[in-house]
Amino acid sequence: FLNAGDHDHMKEAFKKSIAAIGMGEPGGPAVGVVDSHAGVLRFCETLRSGAPPSHAVTLFAFNDYFPAVATTDLASRVADVLCCKPSELAFYPVPKLMIRRVGDHEAYSAVRASEMGDGTFEARELEDAMDYVKLFREPASPLLVAMNNAIERNNAQGVYDGCKEAMELIATNRV
């Protein structure tokens, strides 16, 4: 899945890259396009039902902010691995390939994810990111298994419960 969000320049960059590797035009037989919140919900429900994606590549691209942001929250629940810059996404309970950060402050998010065992170190160069991709693609990938085991362990310890805890504090007027 490729999420361009509401950034036209990313949508165009993804389209150019898709064409360069011979996958065809988005919307064609190999590349699906999702451009609405309802489409994201349908896409995720299809995958949760156990059905495979209908296209080899799915490009998420929106004109509005809300579905662009919500897509990451929803699609991360049906993704095998999240490839992202180190940001707040470092705290999502999904195996993560951390690619080059945008700001220096993001370095600590990649460090935390790698320390927690659910993410890689920051892959600042394409070759480094591709090395991780090769590891993820191995049959019964030891890296992917280890990350999923870490997620289960972290979840049992409440590591991912920050929002839940914040809401409980608010609901019980303990803030």
Side-chain angles (χ1 to χ4, degrees):
F1 322 141
L2 301 172
N3 186 3
D6 58 348
H7 304 286
D8 283 335
H9 70 284
M10 289 305 302
K11 176 181 172 182
E12 294 306 316
F14 282 141
K15 287 170 65 175
K16 183 178 176 182
S17 295
I18 290 166
I21 62 171
M23 293 292 294
E25 287 293 316
V31 183
V33 177
V34 175
D35 60 4
S36 70
H37 184 68
V40 174
L41 294 173
R42 280 192 304 275
F43 177 86
C44 293
E45 184 57 37
T46 297
L47 295 185
R48 276 195 300 278
S49 76
S54 58
H55 296 85
V57 175
T58 299
L59 173 61
F60 296 93
F62 309 94
N63 294 324
D64 299 314
Y65 177 77
F66 175 76
V69 174
T71 295
T72 300
D73 292 337
L74 296 168
S76 67
R77 298 175 194 169
V78 295
D80 295 322
V81 177
L82 178 64
C83 177
C84 59
K85 68 182 183 72
S87 63
E88 67 280 356
L89 299 176
F91 301 91
Y92 277 45
V94 61
K96 293 168 285 292
L97 166 55
M98 297 293 182
I99 57 174
R100 182 188 296 258
R101 65 181 177 260
V102 175
D104 288 341
H105 65 287
E106 293 177 329
Y108 300 107
S109 294
V111 170
R112 182 182 186 284
S114 65
E115 289 175 346
M116 296 305 297
D118 62 3
T120 66
F121 290 105
E122 180 183 7
R124 294 192 52 80
E125 302 298 329
L126 177 61
E127 296 78 21
D128 299 327
M130 292 310 298
D131 287 343
Y132 279 121
V133 169
K134 288 174 190 168
L135 292 172
F136 283 127
R137 293 191 63 199
E138 289 179 8
S141 167
L143 178 60
L144 197 53
V145 169
M147 286 184 175
N148 279 294
N149 288 339
I151 290 167
E152 288 180 348
R153 186 176 55 253
N154 294 343
N155 188 53
Q157 296 171 359
V159 169
Y160 306 112
D161 291 349
C163 289
K164 176 183 164 189
E165 296 292 328
M167 293 306 296
E168 286 177 7
L169 288 171
I170 291 168
T172 57
N173 292 317
R174 293 184 286 159
V175 180

